[in-house]
Amino acid sequence: QVQLVESGGGLVQAGDSLRLSCAASGRTSSTYNMGFYTMGWFRQTPGKEREFVAAISWGGDIKRYLDSVKGRFTISRDNTKKSVDLQMNSLKPEDTAVYYCASHSTPYNQRDYDAKERFGYWGQGTQVTVSS
């Protein structure tokens, strides 16, 4: 099994920054190595579908972003620490959502970085609230 755990959410004001982190919990199967999987962040608000926010290839060299967050959000990974971060700057009220960390289902994938159907492992989510 794979358990992803997010941290770093909270309540901030418009224009502030937050940094979300994701790591595999100690209960994750030893056969899963986050360093070999494309990782992503998604977000969801009540009544809406979960939407893609950012993704990073397993090698870290390819990144994809939702248009509305380009230039404000940065996804990064540390394969030695087996963690993935999402740095969010210049936050806006419309960024308010539950943010989910996700992992591709198969390792070494070199395409479809932002395709939701490729992500088979999900965290429980962390709330980000941006007040105006």
Side-chain angles (χ1 to χ4, degrees):
Q1 67 176 21
V2 177
Q3 290 191 343
L4 303 175
V5 180
E6 304 95 338
S7 61
L11 171 63
V12 297
Q13 293 187 332
D16 286 350
S17 298
L18 273 178
R19 189 176 185 89
L20 305 183
S21 294
C22 173
S25 78
R27 299 179 66 180
T28 295
S29 169
S30 60
T31 60
Y32 175 84
N33 185 332
M34 183 186 287
F36 299 149
Y37 291 77
T38 289
M39 300 295 296
W41 288 92
F42 290 73
R43 65 187 182 188
Q44 189 171 22
T45 55
K48 293 189 177 181
E49 288 196 7
R50 194 170 297 186
E51 70 171 353
F52 166 80
V53 176
I56 185 168
S57 62
W58 63 274
D61 55 332
I62 297 173
K63 301 178 183 181
R64 296 284 186 267
Y65 294 97
L66 176 69
D67 283 346
S68 62
V69 308
K70 285 180 181 177
R72 299 188 299 122
F73 290 12
T74 302
I75 189 169
S76 61
R77 69 187 302 156
D78 185 334
N79 285 345
T80 58
K81 295 181 180 179
K82 299 180 182 179
S83 64
V84 178
D85 290 352
L86 183 68
Q87 177 66 41
M88 306 185 294
N89 298 329
S90 302
L91 283 162
K92 304 176 181 180
E94 50 264 43
D95 294 319
T96 295
V98 177
Y99 283 72
Y100 296 89
C101 174
S103 166
H104 265 205
S105 302
T106 55
Y108 310 117
N109 201 308
Q110 296 184 356
R111 60 179 183 175
D112 301 333
Y113 298 103
D114 56 354
K116 189 164 61 175
E117 61 269 22
R118 289 285 188 177
F119 292 86
Y121 305 121
W122 296 83
Q124 293 298 307
T126 184
Q127 177 70 46
V128 172
T129 303
V130 184
S131 64
S132 57

